[in-house]
Amino acid sequence: MANDFELCPKCGSKKIEYKDNRKWFCPDCGFDLYNNVAAAVGIIICDKNNNILLEVRAKDPQKGKLALPGGFIDPEESAEDAVIRECKEEIGVEIHGAKFLCSNPNTYEYKGITYKTCDIFFTLELPSEYSDMQDFIKSLKKQESEVLDFVSYKIKSQQDIDNCPLAFDSARNTLKRFIMEN
């Protein structure tokens, strides 16, 4: 499903059209705007008992539902740098040693615009200075504009994933992969 534009952003023509399920094209001036995928990162931080850190989202889309820490990759930023930055911003922790797990497509609806994303996920074992996930959560500093609260969910089975009110399908699919590999 394409986002609708009524006018060409370059010449103002009303003839702009969505073509080939991938770009907008203006026949009057030749303007092309590709519907490229946005890149985002997320991280699974877990303890030895398979308790996963999740955030309660503070804003739409999916306000009040659960998400893995993460966010969009900034221009000129690698996925590895983005996951470090997002953890520092959202949970107040500088992480080290995150490992790539997988990537998954996602749909992100925000203020009437549909964004297609490729979400790149990493894993990180709970830092050794914390006894368990609850101890870790006590040390976190939430980014008020993004995070209402932190929670821990034990994720060991498909049923655990199904019972978790996750905001995004990409996180759901990533957690499936995570439990298959652990």
Side-chain angles (χ1 to χ4, degrees), residues 9-179:
K10 186 173 181 184
C11 73
S13 170
K14 291 186 177 189
K15 294 181 185 174
I16 193 160
E17 54 194 58
Y18 193 67
K19 299 184 84 162
D20 304 323
N21 199 30
R22 64 185 297 225
K23 71 176 184 175
W24 292 269
F25 174 73
C26 177
D28 287 347
C29 71
F31 176 76
D32 285 316
L33 175 62
Y34 284 87
N35 191 15
N36 293 328
V37 172
V41 293
I43 190 161
I44 298 172
I45 301 174
C46 72
D47 67 14
K48 62 184 178 291
N49 297 314
N50 283 58
N51 294 305
I52 306 285
L53 174 68
L54 294 165
E55 303 172 343
V56 180
R57 289 185 55 81
K59 66 180 190 178
D60 282 324
Q62 304 290 343
K63 181 178 180 178
K65 290 202 173 181
L66 302 179
L68 295 165
F72 286 100
I73 298 173
D74 287 341
E76 308 298 324
E77 185 176 48
S78 70
E80 295 84 357
D81 289 342
V83 78
I84 292 167
R85 177 186 50 76
E86 285 288 345
C87 283
K88 190 167 179 121
E89 288 174 2
E90 288 189 359
I91 67 175
V93 172
E94 189 163 324
I95 63 163
H96 303 282
K99 294 184 170 93
F100 172 78
L101 175 63
C102 65
S103 63
N104 276 296
N106 197 32
T107 300
Y108 191 88
E109 303 277 345
Y110 184 67
K111 294 188 176 183
I113 301 291
T114 301
Y115 297 90
K116 294 295 187 175
T117 67
C118 179
D119 297 348
I120 304 163
F121 291 94
F122 295 84
T123 60
L124 182 71
E125 291 182 15
L126 190 69
S128 60
E129 61 265 27
Y130 301 99
S131 59
D132 60 23
M133 188 58 70
Q134 290 306 316
D135 185 34
F136 182 60
I137 287 173
K138 290 176 190 171
S139 74
L140 302 179
K141 294 171 185 68
K142 65 184 175 189
Q143 183 181 19
E144 299 286 334
S145 62
E146 300 283 331
V147 180
L148 288 175
D149 204 359
F150 298 110
V151 296
S152 170
Y153 262 75
K154 185 178 291 282
I155 303 288
K156 292 180 78 171
S157 69
Q158 180 62 49
Q159 184 175 359
D160 293 336
I161 296 169
D162 293 342
N163 290 335
C164 187
L166 292 166
F168 304 111
D169 287 339
S170 61
R172 189 171 288 103
N173 293 329
T174 295
L175 289 171
K176 288 178 192 176
R177 171 96 177 251
F178 178 76
I179 61 173

